[in-house]
């Protein structure tokens, strides 16, 4: 009985492998296999630890605004939700993941910047966020310069870390971790005085049950973060298709639905939907 089951399973695996070869699936190459015939899968880079944006849940499923945007876009590219394989792309890994072809595209609180555009292409923007600060509720940090001399956490490879060093508080004692959840843990246990990144991300953490009443956002708009969908440099046809999908997502109301579902619980007051191709620059 058991043996028969295994044999049947092996046959199914073999048949799958053969059919993948037969239709020339190149899933290792470009983050997706051929979409012809609808049998392929697509690999999409997201964050795994950012509540409200990209979160891997205890049951293994994924939730958040970026996840909803990615799922909508994938559908328009010809991949149903069950054909998506989400891959974690931490802030510092995003350009390399695209260059290597690990993923077809990235929707991971990924700000469009001139520096990054040297290495990857972007569709969008699909959300405008702003850098802000998160502290303990009783802290007295109310403006960027208050951070000078303070212990501050942000993430390697993020615009947030760069902005601190360049302009917001060059004399802050900046600790760079690889994820924001590590920064939040450091804030909670007193290892740092503040965490800085996009308000969208900080609001999601602050609204978690376990942090209720413990943290506060400063409410500063320290930068403009135009979230784009990253694709491999030179893949203009994918950028085009994604831009059309994003436009449609706004027009048919799905964008607002995703905003309400994911930012509502955190009381995050997001900006209205950006226009495709229109970047809100940073001052200076
Ligand atoms: N949006 C900013 C960035 O792309 C900060 C958030 C992040 O690290 O993903 O760098």
């Amino acid at each position: 009985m058991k043996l028969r089951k295994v044999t049947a399973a092996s046959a199914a695996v073999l048949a799958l492998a053969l059919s993948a070869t037969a239709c020339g699936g190149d899933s290792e190459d470009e983050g997706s296999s051929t979409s012809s015939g609808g049998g392929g899968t697509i690999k999409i880079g997201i964050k795994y630890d950012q509540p409200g944006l990209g979160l891997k849940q205890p049951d293994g499923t994924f939730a958040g605004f970026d996840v909803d945007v990615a799922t909508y876009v994938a559908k328009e590219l010809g991949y149903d939700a069950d054909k998506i394989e989400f891959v974690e792309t931490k802030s510092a890994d995003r350009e390399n993941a695209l260059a290597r072809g690990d993923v077809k595209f990235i929707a991971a609180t990924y700000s469009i910047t001139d520096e990054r555009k040297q290495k990857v292409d972007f569709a969008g923007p699909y959300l405008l966020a702003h850098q802000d600060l998160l502290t303990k509720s009783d802290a007295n940090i109310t403006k960027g310069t208050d951070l000078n001399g303070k212990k501050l956490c942000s993430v390697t490879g993020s615009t947030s870390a760069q902005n601190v060093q360049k302009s917001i508080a060059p004399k802050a004692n900046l600790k760079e971790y690889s994820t924001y959840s590590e920064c939040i843990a450091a804030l909670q246990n007193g290892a740092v005085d503040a965490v800085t990144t996009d308000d969208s991300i900080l609001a999601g953490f602050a609204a978690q049950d376990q942090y209720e009443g413990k943290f506060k956002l400063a409410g500063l708009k320290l930068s403009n973060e135009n979230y784009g969908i990253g694709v491999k440099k030179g893949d203009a046809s994918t950028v085009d298709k994604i831009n059309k999908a994003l436009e449609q997502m706004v027009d048919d109301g799905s964008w607002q639905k995703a905003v309400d579902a994911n930012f509502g619980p955190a009381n995050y007051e997001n900006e209205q939907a950006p226009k495709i191709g229109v970047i809100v620059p940073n001052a200076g």
Side-chain angles (χ1 to χ4, degrees):
M1 184 74 171
K2 198 163 183 208
L3 185 67
R4 229 181 20 239
K5 250 190 190 159
V6 170
T7 311
S10 316
V13 168
L14 186 64
L16 259 177
L18 284 173
S19 72
T21 314
C23 67
D26 56 350
S27 56
E28 296 315 306
D29 188 30
E30 290 287 323
S32 63
S33 68
T34 166
S35 60
S36 59
T41 58
I42 186 165
K43 289 187 182 146
I44 302 174
I46 57 164
K47 295 292 185 69
Y48 273 19
D49 69 324
Q50 296 178 190
L53 285 150
L55 187 69
K56 185 171 184 178
Q57 304 182 108
D59 67 358
T61 61
F62 299 91
F65 185 70
D66 281 343
V67 172
D68 288 350
V69 168
T71 304
Y72 189 101
V73 165
K75 174 105 180 140
E76 294 307 303
L77 296 181
Y79 300 90
D80 285 340
D82 64 346
K83 299 282 187 255
I84 297 173
E85 191 186 324
F86 286 114
V87 175
E88 184 176 28
T89 45
K90 294 179 181 168
S91 296
D93 299 337
R94 292 175 292 201
E95 288 82 18
N96 285 338
L98 288 170
R100 284 194 303 259
D102 294 352
V103 291
K104 183 74 174 175
F105 66 81
I106 290 180
T109 59
Y110 198 9
S111 299
I112 301 171
T113 68
D114 287 340
E115 204 181 326
R116 290 173 180 163
K117 280 201 278 185
Q118 310 285 314
K119 295 180 182 163
V120 303
D121 285 339
F122 285 102
Y126 64 92
L127 189 76
L128 175 62
H130 306 281
Q131 187 166 350
D132 200 354
L133 309 176
L134 189 75
T135 63
K136 286 208 167 142
S137 303
D138 57 0
N140 196 19
I141 295 174
T142 55
K143 54 188 188 303
T145 46
D146 290 345
L147 296 168
N148 285 315
K150 294 270 183 352
K151 281 181 263 163
L152 175 67
C153 190
S154 199
V155 161
T156 316
S158 69
T159 52
S160 326
Q162 247 181 24
N163 293 339
V164 166
Q165 288 165 319
K166 266 202 316 217
S167 52
I168 298 169
K171 295 208 173 76
N173 177 1
L174 179 66
K175 299 186 188 306
E176 292 184 58
Y177 293 165
S178 67
T179 62
Y180 295 105
S181 48
E182 292 169 82
C183 283
I184 298 293
L187 179 63
Q188 192 183 19
N189 70 28
V192 298
D193 302 302
V195 177
T196 187
T197 187
D198 306 338
D199 47 11
S200 48
I201 300 172
L202 297 174
F205 279 113
Q208 297 293 287
D209 284 349
Q210 70 266 36
Y211 301 129
E212 213 197 312
K214 290 193 176 149
F215 298 148
K216 69 176 176 200
L217 268 116
L220 307 168
K221 289 185 163 61
L222 296 167
S223 73
N224 293 316
E225 304 294 326
N226 301 266
Y227 288 4
I229 295 201
V231 305
K232 191 175 202 165
K233 183 109 194 117
D235 189 357
S237 91
T238 301
V239 169
D240 237 46
K241 286 182 206 158
I242 295 177
N243 278 336
K244 290 206 176 79
L246 291 173
E247 247 161 18
Q248 186 183 307
M249 188 177 181
V250 173
D251 290 347
D252 72 10
S254 304
W255 185 90
Q256 189 58 49
K257 245 171 99 177
V259 159
D260 295 345
N262 295 296
F263 296 144
N267 284 322
Y268 175 60
E269 286 177 24
N270 62 287
E271 304 270 1
Q272 64 187 46
K275 293 263 169 293
I276 298 300
V278 178
I279 306 293
V280 181
N282 281 304

